[in-house]
Amino acid sequence: DAGVTQSPTHLIKTRGQQVTLRCSPKSGHDTVSWYQQALGQGPQFIFQYYEEEERQRGNFPDRFSGHQFPNYSSELNVNALLLGDSALYLCASSYPRGQAWDSPLHFGNGTRLTVT
Amino acid sequence: DAKTTQPPSMDCAEGRAANLPCNHSTISGNEYVYWYRQIHSQGPQYIIHGLKNNETNEMASLIITEDRKSSTLILPHATLRDTAVYYCIGRFYGQNFVFGPGTRLSVLP
């Protein structure tokens, strides 16, 4: 049973460019959340997708956008990259809502984005 | 979500029990307490969660005080592989998980 998978594992981009990160949730999960983790800090919530719609959003600018596909996989897009966007981007998935309402998040190992 | 406070760092001798405290004095009756850990360069790993009762699984035990204002994560026989940052999170159903800075546990040989 595959866990949460993310691609690519590492990425280097230049300021002003755009980037797309991808995530496949754990089998049986339909809710996907994205987190940003700067060096030395805890993960910060970006947004959550369920039924192909953004359901919750953290304190991140509109440059950060996402998408969820019918197979529950998800993408995180960041436009107009800044040096401060350099971080580990984590995807997490969880069980369908209403079936296990205290179910934990299961995380992938992230995409390390470096903006130069 | 309840704000949690944890010590920034702790040491533990290999083979001994590691007891990681967490204060969540503002937690409400419907907020679960979750514990995660993050080993360097990996994503956070779920350990255990609970509401009122003590919980145990193959990884750890969770002891929640009767007033629910604090909890302790216990790793019964710490190994070098348990060296990680441990996060304690209080969460309502449906809300996102809010991570603090966590406790950096160093298991020493």
Side-chain angles (χ1 to χ4, degrees):
Chain A
D1 178 21
V4 178
T5 58
Q6 294 187 243
S7 63
T9 55
H10 294 82
L11 201 53
I12 299 175
K13 290 286 189 178
T14 304
R15 276 181 300 174
Q17 287 188 318
Q18 178 264 344
V19 68
T20 297
L21 311 181
R22 296 176 175 80
C23 171
S24 293
K26 184 178 170 68
S27 178
H29 290 186
D30 67 350
T31 301
V32 173
S33 300
W34 286 92
Y35 285 77
Q36 179 195 66
Q37 185 173 26
L39 204 59
Q41 298 182 19
Q44 301 297 306
F45 175 72
I46 303 175
F47 42 53
Q48 180 189 75
Y49 276 82
Y50 171 66
E51 291 185 335
E52 302 179 47
E53 291 189 16
E54 183 182 297
R55 300 292 179 170
Q56 295 183 51
R57 189 178 183 92
N59 188 26
F60 278 81
D62 292 344
R63 298 187 297 109
F64 290 77
S65 63
H67 189 76
Q68 186 179 35
F69 299 93
N71 67 353
Y72 310 125
S73 67
S74 177
E75 289 182 350
L76 164 66
N77 300 292
V78 186
N79 294 323
L81 284 167
L82 305 174
L83 295 179
D85 295 331
S86 294
L88 180 67
Y89 288 86
L90 295 159
C91 173
S93 67
S94 57
Y95 282 115
R97 293 185 175 190
Q99 294 187 18
W101 58 281
D102 64 329
S103 65
L105 289 180
H106 294 263
F107 284 83
N109 283 327
T111 295
R112 172 73 61 187
L113 173 65
T114 301
V115 182
T116 62
Chain B
D1 291 343
K3 177 176 173 58
T4 61
T5 54
Q6 301 175 250
S9 64
M10 292 181 63
D11 292 340
C12 176
E14 188 178 19
R16 304 296 295 269
N19 297 283
L20 292 95
C22 178
N23 182 288
H24 34 79
S25 58
T26 60
I27 199 169
S28 68
N30 296 325
E31 285 186 272
Y32 276 75
V33 177
Y34 294 78
W35 283 83
Y36 282 80
R37 73 180 182 184
Q38 188 171 23
I39 296 169
H40 183 61
S41 297
Q42 297 182 19
Q45 177 190 24
Y46 166 74
I47 301 173
I48 199 167
H49 74 285
L51 182 63
K52 296 180 182 178
N53 301 319
N54 298 337
E55 303 286 344
T56 296
N57 63 20
E58 65 279 3
M59 290 182 67
S61 294
L62 173 60
I63 308 298
I64 302 174
T65 58
E66 192 170 344
D67 62 8
R68 302 211 327 120
K69 292 183 183 300
S70 66
S71 61
T72 301
L73 178 74
I74 301 173
L75 308 178
H77 305 286
T79 71
L80 299 179
R81 288 177 295 179
D82 292 320
T83 292
V85 177
Y86 287 77
Y87 298 100
C88 169
I89 301 165
R91 174 190 175 257
F92 277 117
Y93 162 66
Q95 297 299 309
N96 67 81
F97 286 74
V98 179
F99 287 79
T103 295
R104 183 171 298 277
L105 175 69
S106 298
V107 180
L108 307 175

